[in-house]
Amino acid sequence: MEVLKHSSAVAASYNLKKMFPSQVSKQGLGNGNYKAVESNAERRKGIAAEASSMAGELYIQHAHQHKMQKAWLHFSDYTEPFDLSWKSLLYKHSPSLVKFVLHASINWVRTPDLLKIWGLTKTCFCCLCGAEQCTLHHILANCQYALKNKRYTWRHDSVLKVFQSALTEHLAVTNSKKKSSSVDVPYLYSSFVSAGCSSHKKIPDSNHNLLSGATDWQILVDFDSANILFPPDIFTTSERPDIIIWSPSRKKVILIELTCPAEEGIANARSRKLLRYANLVEQISNQTEWNCTLLTAEVGVRGFVASSTRRCMRSLGIKAAKLRRFLLETSEVVARCSFSIYLSRENKVWQQSRLLEPSKAPRV
């Protein structure tokens, strides 16, 4: 009887959506071919999809009932999912790393506060800084001892190295191209052309991005072990953004600020960085002949990359295939770093000086 009850509910929901279709994508109302009469196979397929959708909604409703395990609901809408493809599971990620990422996404890692809830310990203080409540968030992003011990700096710079590698390669390709800002194409949709006017017009290049129009881009990346100096020919300041990209010919400078916060704090981290460098951007734009642009990129400590990172790299013209590879490498590096920080949660000795690099999956 319970099965029949659920089947009737699914069929009723499907029939309602067929009678009153609504927009489900960015393609607008009326997109696609509407069929008033559908075959049995099409109806079964539609009802199966509706059942899957309703089941997903029930899972989310159930997750909202749990105080700790609903952590992923706070950042799932604005982060990229961790790579759990079969190729990565079999040939790239270790089982321990995958287990850590999955448990971290629902706050189910064996931390002192969780052990106390389970009744396995009586206290839940941090072994490094002595904080009374040692949660996963505290271990990965809020421990003052780990901060002063530069564990978070090591993770930040490891991620920054992935940015440096991808951007250096991309700038080399960009600088090797010929300058092109627009192309002439026929004005096909004009019904009237005034006397003496050309029937051709210039339109922006479809590949237009922040790097378009110049082939002399330079880059500086600020690491903890190798501090940079803001180019004095642009502006004199003591500020050191994580990445500086500039073109002398275009008088254009792009600042990129990377942050590795807890996923729940990605929005706040972005606001802090925009506020911190707002004055510098305004000074460069108003007091010099340079045009300054500020971009932010956030990479969560659990291994979930913020959508702002994708937008940042796309604005620089990185293509889809390379962008996907970059996001996967960034996600992997930050997860491996956070896992190492977690494993050293009771050890005050920290000797991680060499930055982590993305692992190379073998070809299969």
Side-chain angles (χ1 to χ4, degrees), residues 229-239 253 279-290:
L229 175 67
F230 199 95
D233 54 327
I234 300 177
F235 192 73
T236 304
T237 178
S238 60
E239 296 284 359
V253 57
N279 188 41
L280 176 61
V281 173
E282 183 179 358
Q283 288 177 338
I284 294 176
S285 301
N286 294 339
Q287 300 178 18
T288 70
E289 57 184 351
W290 290 75

Side-chain angles (χ1 to χ4, degrees), residues 61-72:
Q61 293 176 10
H62 177 72
H64 275 289
Q65 300 174 5
H66 298 273
K67 183 177 180 180
M68 296 181 63
Q69 287 72 40
K70 67 177 182 180
W72 62 276

Side-chain angles (χ1 to χ4, degrees), residues 1 5 32 86 94 111 181 185 227 264 276 289 347 356:
M1 293 297 294
K5 179 180 178 181
W86 280 111
S94 68
T111 53
S181 58
V185 296
N227 294 154
E264 300 90 336
R276 174 181 174 181
E289 57 184 351
N347 188 3
L356 282 184

